[in-house]
Amino acid sequence: MEKCILIRYGEIFLKSGNRSFFEGLLKKNIKTALAGIKFSINSSQTRYYVGEYAENDEEEIINRLKKVFGIHSLSVCYKLKTDLEALRAAVCKVFNKEGKFRVTVNRADKRVQKSSMDIAKYLGAALLDVSGGGLKVDLFDFDYEINVDIRENGSTYLFYDKIPGAGGLPVGSSGKGLLLLSGGIDSPVAGYMALKRGMKISALHFHSFPYTSVRAKEKVTELAELLKSYTGDITLYFVTFTEIQQAIHEKCPNEYMITIMRRIMMRIAQKLSVAQKFDAVITGENLGQVASQTVESLKSTDSATDMLILRPLICFDKKEIIDTAKKIGTYDTSILPFEDCCTVFLPKNPSIRPKLKDVEAAEKALDIDLLIEQAINGIEVVSL
Ligand code: ATP
Ligand code: MG
């Protein structure tokens, strides 16, 4: 029996008047996700069908499609020539579950004489016949819905499993963002959430070599690789932050160290964003989590540039972030014990409520433009 995978995409973006744009993007992203596998893709009535693949690629195809944002759900379908006898035999052969079920028939092909209801009853009765007592019909409280879609084109599609998709919007439909990617738990989750809402991302990591190890850089690369499976490709920028941290450490009051560091990170992110046309910077910041994430600290970070800063995790509890990190597969890598730059030179008593005018005054001791220029000149670009 010929099989194919039915892809349903969310209805939300279909209303926006940009339907063909979103559909085209989703199709392109599906093709990217399935690169290296032989398949065909067709569309019909706000759905895509992936077919003509080798049976032993099916699991891999489903696993990859589960990571494509914009897909609502998936079903493995059996495709038959429209014929009630063949349909009955097929349902009895492939549906081997126990429990409560219903059959739902959609008959677009009016050449088929029986009504939808009669076909459903006919198939339901046939299933009960072969089930040996393990099945029961329940139209309202069912474990399985067996769907039969009788198309006008002479084909009938049969499916009963609904596999949840990743949801969200197709990557590329919400502009381009630059993710500030540390080695921690939060920022990969923030990147995932921006991708989920359709933002294409690149990542920027600040390291403090030789104070941080090569392994710390590898860890960040690994995290970016994990995010890549949701988007197809990621560009990773590495910036050396050591000289900047040293300069702040020497010339600025200790309690403003983190605040000033974060403001310079933002300025570097902005420079890169102007050059590479990023629409926003994304961080894993979270209200109240640490000293650099109080309202005052966030305000002082914001005021360093006029970039749009997206903080998808701002109001999440740590547990919610950890649960998501586990779900998306980044948690185990994030908890590996390699320090990112922020833990080097860490002051004992960072200011929790930095006053902007004091911070600005403290920054005057630095040649910020030069420091930023040097950092940008030394940038290392890795395309994953
Ligand atoms: P994370 O778990 O993402 O490291 P965190 O809770 O440790 O976050 P901070 O260290 O204050 O919090 O960092 C806040 C955010 O700043 C991070 O989520 C990340 O977006 C960015 N950031 C911090 N350190 C770096 C770094 N070395 N390189 C790039 N971005 C960073
Ligand atoms: Mg961190």
Side-chain angles (χ1 to χ4, degrees):
M1 223 178 307
E2 190 183 335
K3 283 166 95 181
C4 61
I5 296 165
L6 159 61
I7 296 173
R8 300 176 196 83
Y9 37 93
E11 300 286 316
I12 331 147
F13 59 78
L14 298 183
K15 299 191 177 94
S16 69
N18 277 330
R19 178 168 157 172
S20 62
F21 167 69
F22 282 107
E23 284 179 332
L25 201 53
L26 180 60
K27 187 172 179 181
K28 178 172 148 266
N29 293 351
I30 290 170
K31 285 182 174 171
T32 304
L34 299 184
I37 297 176
K38 193 184 148 290
F39 69 97
S40 66
I41 181 164
N42 295 295
S43 65
S44 162
Q45 301 169 344
T46 73
R47 289 166 174 194
Y48 281 119
Y49 291 86
V50 165
E52 297 178 81
Y53 52 82
E55 176 71 26
N56 54 10
D57 283 337
E58 187 174 282
E59 201 183 327
E60 177 68 16
I61 292 175
I62 290 171
N63 285 337
R64 293 201 203 170
L65 290 177
K66 274 157 99 177
K67 290 184 160 185
V68 176
F69 292 117
I71 294 180
H72 212 69
S73 65
L74 306 162
S75 293
V76 175
C77 296
Y78 296 87
K79 187 179 168 192
L80 312 154
K81 270 217 168 68
T82 297
D83 170 72
L84 289 190
E85 250 330 283
L87 182 58
R88 184 193 58 79
V91 172
C92 292
K93 181 160 174 246
V94 300
F95 186 73
N96 53 4
K97 312 268 187 191
E98 298 206 330
K100 291 177 280 184
F101 76 102
R102 65 167 289 161
V103 181
T104 304
V105 177
N106 173 24
R107 182 185 53 126
D109 186 347
K110 303 300 175 198
R111 290 172 303 182
V112 176
Q113 296 291 313
K114 268 186 168 47
S115 70
S116 303
M117 191 65 89
D118 285 343
I119 298 169
K121 280 187 196 158
Y122 170 68
L123 297 175
L127 271 172
L128 288 176
D129 245 11
V130 297
S131 75
L135 281 174
K136 195 169 161 273
V137 174
D138 194 321
L139 298 187
F140 303 102
D141 178 25
F142 48 86
D143 307 313
Y144 300 98
E145 182 177 24
I146 298 169
N147 290 275
V148 174
D149 207 356
I150 303 174
R151 292 293 178 81
E152 275 167 335
N153 64 6
S155 296
T156 294
Y157 291 83
L158 162 69
F159 58 92
Y160 52 86
D161 259 346
K162 232 183 207 177
I163 305 163
L169 300 174
V171 173
S173 63
S174 300
K176 271 171 65 179
L178 180 62
L179 171 67
L180 298 195
L181 183 61
S182 71
I185 295 170
D186 302 338
S187 43
V189 175
Y192 165 87
M193 292 182 74
L195 284 168
K196 182 170 182 186
R197 294 311 299 164
M199 186 165 261
K200 177 94 187 148
I201 63 168
S202 294
L204 167 59
H205 178 72
F206 298 97
H207 66 90
S208 310
F209 196 73
Y211 297 98
T212 53
S213 66
V214 172
R215 196 58 195 88
K217 237 171 114 180
E218 285 169 8
K219 175 181 168 181
V220 170
T221 309
E222 219 168 285
L223 288 169
E225 279 284 354
L226 290 168
L227 289 175
K228 185 185 134 178
S229 63
Y230 293 92
T231 169
D233 63 279
I234 280 193
T235 302
L236 184 51
Y237 299 93
F238 287 104
V239 164
T240 310
F241 212 54
T242 325
E243 286 79 23
I244 294 174
Q245 281 180 301
Q246 267 160 349
I248 304 171
H249 189 62
E250 280 161 24
K251 296 183 177 152
C252 303
N254 218 306
E255 76 245 48
Y256 294 141
M257 172 100 207
I258 293 184
T259 310
I260 296 174
M261 260 174 53
R262 300 200 59 77
R263 285 166 58 86
I264 296 181
M265 280 185 180
M266 279 306 162
R267 290 184 180 112
I268 292 172
Q270 180 181 40
K271 260 231 143 111
L272 188 56
S273 297
V274 170
Q276 299 296 326
K277 299 195 169 52
F278 296 116
D279 304 296
V281 172
I282 305 150
T283 80
E285 286 167 309
N286 176 250
L287 195 57
Q289 198 184 76
V290 288
S292 63
Q293 298 177 17
T294 61
V295 171
E296 289 82 357
S297 300
L298 294 172
K299 267 161 90 174
S300 92
T301 312
D302 272 358
S303 66
T305 72
D306 54 10
M307 280 300 293
L308 169 65
I309 303 175
L310 299 180
R311 300 179 167 101
L313 309 182
I314 196 70
C315 291
F316 277 46
D317 285 343
K318 192 73 190 186
K319 175 161 187 315
E320 295 171 303
I321 299 171
I322 288 175
D323 288 348
T324 310
K326 287 181 177 164
K327 189 186 87 182
I328 66 172
T330 54
Y331 182 77
D332 290 339
T333 306
S334 286
I335 59 171
L336 293 173
F338 304 106
E339 302 195 320
D340 70 38
C341 77
C342 291
T343 42
V344 185
F345 304 109
L346 211 62
K348 283 197 195 66
N349 297 306
S351 169
I352 300 177
R353 302 188 203 296
K355 286 216 174 60
L356 188 57
K357 72 173 180 23
D358 297 340
V359 175
E360 283 171 348
E363 277 178 356
K364 292 241 157 63
L366 303 169
D367 189 343
I368 290 188
D369 290 342
L370 183 69
L371 288 171
I372 290 176
E373 200 186 308
Q374 285 167 347
I376 293 273
N377 285 344
I379 208 162
E380 182 193 343
V381 188
V382 181
S383 295
L384 301 177

